[in-house]
Amino acid sequence: MNSKKTVTIFSPATVANVNCGFDVLGFAIEGMGDIITLTKVPKNGIRITSITGATLPLEASKNVAGVAGLAMLEYLKVDFGFELQIKKGIPLGSGTGGSAASAAAVVFGINQFLENPLSLEELAYFGMKGEVVASGNEHADNVAPAIFGGFTLIPGYDPFEVVSLPTPANLYVTIIHPHLVINTKDAREILPKVVPLQHAIQQAGYLAGFVSGLYTSNYNLISRSLKDVLIEPYRKELLPLFDKAKNIALQTGALGFGISGSGPSMFALCKGEEIADAVSEKLNSLYQTSEIKIDTHVSKVSEKGSRVISVYEE
Amino acid sequence: MNSKKTVTIFSPATVANVNCGFDVLGFAIEGMGDIITLTKVPKNGIRITSITGATLPLEASKNVAGVAGLAMLEYLKVDFGFELQIKKGIPLGSGTGGSAASAAAVVFGINQFLENPLSLEELAYFGMKGEVVASGNEHADNVAPAIFGGFTLIPGYDPFEVVSLPTPANLYVTIIHPHLVINTKDAREILPKVVPLQHAIQQAGYLAGFVSGLYTSNYNLISRSLKDVLIEPYRKELLPLFDKAKNIALQTGALGFGISGSGPSMFALCKGEEIADAVSEKLNSLYQTSEIKIDTHVSKVSEKGSRVISVYEE
């Protein structure tokens, strides 16, 4: 293998937490993602040769994609390395899984080069190793859907496990990205260390109801389960106009509305594209009257996760 | 309708909480239950004419079956009443849903007489009204499976909702009933009012994993999800030899082991009857060496809930 080969991977943006599933639930969206081109090189390790679309460290040990790739290469004990060209398509710090997408793309790409020695679940595990750089703790609720696509559940971290959940056919999402900076670590520190047992029970019921709703395409149950008594009451304080935006989205027919990941993006899950478009329009109107600038993105909940978009060999 | 008609209903014993699903999850078992014969009478209200198998108040307003029946009759505004003969087949205070079974049987029976004006979910709601007498708070995690059969989830109480979950074909349960008295109210008071957020998240992940496991008949996922970091650490202190019994059950091949409802009964969920029988045998041996007397009962997880077992009309 002295020929030069490159593989280019697309990994989608993702919404984590999804109201009732803090740290365990997430889903993939369409039309927004990171693109990484991997080139196999004789020298061990990971070298990042370019990053476009965002200002991020080129040093592999300080970059989520680099850290994830290095963890995987070390585990597999390969005697060569990779050069990465990273194109960020997900705005930094938006709360839609930008770091997870880059980590997902690199582990998915390495696996392609090696003819898939690892399962998607194992890739999510190594992808998660990159997340530590971004958020300071290991969580896989973005990286799992960025790899698997659709909805994913992390029922537990010990042992680490990913469950791929069904995606009802008619689920769309409106992403609302306000141009604010919320540090992921700050968003964690605002949370209480202890919660009422009663709230823990309620939230578990919502999550279980949501999972059941996905298996049965029961949009009413999905809607009733998109609640969050544990996290949202604290984090919404960081998001201007959150309550107003939520009321408008629900009145417009959204199944649910909440914070995407640790914010600042918000999401509205909707039955059908029309409602998702209407939510987008109304929330653009709302924020136009404020000092906060927003972008919105309407997408189907995507069953597609990371994938090869081109292979080049000479 | 001046003829005399009686309807006799069987409602099964149930296991609530099921490790990961405190207050929201339960399932029905076979071969153990309460039997109530209802006779329609001109006089409004509920009159309990006999109770066999246990010593319980005949006064309707102090009896779970009476309270549940009265709540339903009041809601339906009927201008007649019922006499009840109650045969308790579930040991009082065993933690296997005895009060729920009686409440379930009476509301199911009244519904039969009235040609089913209420849905099973509505019956669970009125059945729950009886539970207040027994435990001091409204919960439906026993009464829902006693009515629906199989596994049921209560994703929320506002609005009140019951989700009937699938029952994998090969699930058996061993019930271990130690002859101890644990007051349901005491078992609630031993619980903490607040829990670490981290434990709440873990437990929600287990419950969601368990629900997913039921939909996909994934026994490994079911097994890994039968964990309880919120309740068991406190309540197991009330149960002699709990840790030993759990270790033995898991080593014998049980998918999981935990406290049935608020105890003192314990349960082992097993894949296949052979393992359930083996668990029963080993735990009988364990407790024979102690001062605690136990009964064990092996059953399939039953898809059958409350049902008519005889109708008599003259």
Side-chain angles (χ1 to χ4, degrees):
Chain A
M1 289 246 327
N2 283 320
S3 64
K4 188 183 175 190
K5 184 179 171 186
T6 70
V7 170
T8 301
I9 307 294
F10 173 86
S11 289
T14 48
V15 171
N17 297 348
V18 201
N19 299 99
C20 53
F22 183 64
D23 271 3
V24 300
L25 188 65
F27 64 84
I29 67 179
E30 281 182 355
M32 198 197 291
D34 286 358
I35 293 171
I36 297 188
T37 299
L38 301 95
T39 308
K40 191 176 151 187
V41 293
K43 195 184 169 197
N44 275 7
I46 299 279
R47 199 166 74 89
I48 301 169
T49 57
S50 72
I51 301 175
T52 55
T55 305
L56 282 167
L58 283 167
E59 200 178 323
S61 65
K62 292 182 178 167
N63 180 296
V64 289
V67 171
L70 287 167
M72 181 166 165
L73 290 179
E74 191 181 343
Y75 173 76
L76 292 172
K77 299 193 193 344
V78 297
D79 60 352
F80 46 83
F82 291 92
E83 286 180 1
L84 310 183
Q85 293 168 274
I86 301 177
K87 282 189 200 166
K88 295 295 294 179
I90 303 171
L92 275 191
S94 62
T96 50
S99 59
S102 289
V106 71
V107 296
F108 193 87
I110 293 172
N111 209 41
Q112 283 292 317
F113 261 105
L114 303 176
E115 294 174 354
N116 300 311
L118 299 190
S119 67
L120 294 185
E121 186 171 87
E122 289 168 314
L123 294 183
Y125 177 81
F126 288 107
M128 179 175 74
K129 297 292 171 190
E131 285 279 63
V132 181
V133 181
S135 75
N137 79 341
E138 287 190 4
H139 63 286
D141 48 346
N142 284 110
V143 79
I147 289 173
F148 282 74
F151 281 93
T152 59
L153 173 77
I154 316 286
Y157 284 85
D158 183 24
F160 177 70
E161 186 165 15
V162 179
V163 175
S164 180
L165 298 169
T167 305
N170 210 11
L171 268 189
Y172 285 76
V173 64
T174 309
I175 304 287
I176 302 96
H177 174 212
H179 296 189
L180 297 169
V181 176
I182 295 181
N183 184 293
T184 308
K185 285 180 192 170
D186 293 347
R188 292 221 160 231
E189 277 162 17
I190 208 175
L191 300 179
K193 297 274 179 290
V194 294
V195 298
L197 175 61
Q198 203 45 49
H199 287 180
I201 302 313
Q202 259 182 285
Q203 188 95 343
Y206 295 142
L207 178 58
F210 186 79
V211 168
S212 177
L214 292 182
Y215 276 100
T216 55
S217 288
N218 182 339
Y219 292 93
N220 288 329
L221 178 56
I222 286 171
S223 180
R224 284 191 295 272
S225 304
L226 283 167
K227 290 180 189 152
D228 179 1
V229 294
L230 293 183
I231 305 301
E232 185 177 293
Y234 297 93
R235 285 200 173 156
K236 72 177 186 178
E237 303 302 335
L238 303 171
L239 299 172
L241 299 178
F242 180 86
D243 284 332
K244 270 195 185 168
K246 181 165 188 160
N247 282 338
I248 290 171
L250 296 179
Q251 277 164 21
T252 308
L255 299 169
F257 182 92
I259 303 166
S260 175
S262 55
S265 285
M266 295 160 277
F267 74 97
L269 263 182
C270 303
K271 186 179 177 185
E273 194 169 14
E274 266 183 45
I275 294 174
D277 283 334
V279 168
S280 168
E281 198 178 313
K282 294 211 175 161
L283 293 185
N284 272 303
S285 299
L286 171 70
Y287 282 96
Q288 260 165 20
T289 65
S290 81
E291 287 171 2
I292 310 291
K293 216 170 159 295
I294 67 166
D295 295 319
T296 59
H297 177 84
V298 171
S299 156
K300 203 168 189 316
V301 174
S302 177
E303 291 193 81
K304 289 188 201 156
S306 294
R307 61 249 194 205
V308 176
I309 54 172
S310 71
V311 176
Y312 174 83
E313 204 157 356
E314 71 181 22
Chain B
M1 293 252 318
N2 283 323
S3 63
K4 189 183 174 193
K5 183 179 171 186
T6 70
V7 170
T8 300
I9 307 293
F10 174 87
S11 290
T14 48
V15 172
N17 297 347
V18 200
N19 299 98
C20 52
F22 182 65
D23 271 2
V24 300
L25 188 65
F27 65 83
I29 68 179
E30 281 181 356
M32 198 196 293
D34 286 359
I35 293 171
I36 296 189
T37 298
L38 299 94
T39 308
K40 192 176 151 187
V41 294
K43 193 183 169 198
N44 274 8
I46 298 278
R47 199 167 73 91
I48 301 169
T49 56
S50 72
I51 301 175
T52 55
T55 305
L56 281 166
L58 284 167
E59 199 178 325
S61 65
K62 292 182 179 168
N63 181 295
V64 289
V67 170
L70 286 168
M72 182 168 165
L73 291 179
E74 190 180 346
Y75 173 76
L76 292 172
K77 300 194 193 340
V78 298
D79 60 352
F80 46 83
F82 291 93
E83 285 180 359
L84 310 182
Q85 294 168 272
I86 301 176
K87 282 188 200 165
K88 295 295 293 179
I90 304 171
L92 275 191
S94 62
T96 50
S99 59
S102 290
V106 71
V107 294
F108 194 87
I110 293 173
N111 209 40
Q112 283 291 320
F113 261 105
L114 303 176
E115 293 174 356
N116 300 311
L118 300 190
S119 68
L120 294 185
E121 186 171 86
E122 289 168 313
L123 294 183
Y125 177 79
F126 288 106
M128 179 175 74
K129 297 292 171 190
E131 284 281 62
V132 181
V133 181
S135 74
N137 79 342
E138 288 190 2
H139 63 287
D141 48 346
N142 285 109
V143 78
I147 289 173
F148 283 74
F151 282 93
T152 59
L153 173 76
I154 316 285
Y157 284 85
D158 182 25
F160 178 70
E161 187 165 11
V162 180
V163 174
S164 181
L165 299 169
T167 305
N170 210 11
L171 269 189
Y172 285 76
V173 64
T174 310
I175 305 287
I176 303 96
H177 174 211
H179 296 189
L180 298 169
V181 175
I182 294 182
N183 184 293
T184 307
K185 286 180 191 171
D186 293 347
R188 292 219 160 231
E189 276 160 18
I190 207 175
L191 299 179
K193 297 274 178 293
V194 295
V195 298
L197 175 60
Q198 203 45 49
H199 287 180
I201 302 313
Q202 258 183 287
Q203 188 97 344
Y206 295 142
L207 178 58
F210 186 79
V211 168
S212 177
L214 292 182
Y215 276 100
T216 55
S217 289
N218 182 338
Y219 293 92
N220 288 330
L221 179 55
I222 287 171
S223 179
R224 284 192 295 273
S225 304
L226 283 167
K227 291 179 187 152
D228 179 2
V229 294
L230 293 183
I231 306 300
E232 185 177 293
Y234 298 92
R235 285 201 173 154
K236 72 176 187 180
E237 303 303 334
L238 303 171
L239 299 172
L241 300 178
F242 179 85
D243 285 333
K244 271 196 184 167
K246 181 165 189 161
N247 283 338
I248 290 170
L250 297 179
Q251 277 164 20
T252 308
L255 300 169
F257 182 92
I259 303 166
S260 175
S262 55
S265 284
M266 295 160 276
F267 73 96
L269 263 181
C270 302
K271 186 180 178 185
E273 193 169 14
E274 266 182 45
I275 294 174
D277 283 334
V279 169
S280 168
E281 198 177 313
K282 294 210 174 162
L283 293 185
N284 272 304
S285 300
L286 171 69
Y287 281 95
Q288 260 165 20
T289 64
S290 81
E291 287 172 1
I292 310 292
K293 217 170 159 295
I294 67 166
D295 295 318
T296 59
H297 177 84
V298 171
S299 155
K300 204 168 188 314
V301 174
S302 177
E303 289 193 81
K304 289 189 203 157
S306 294
R307 59 247 193 208
V308 176
I309 54 172
S310 72
V311 176
Y312 174 84
E313 203 158 354
E314 72 181 21

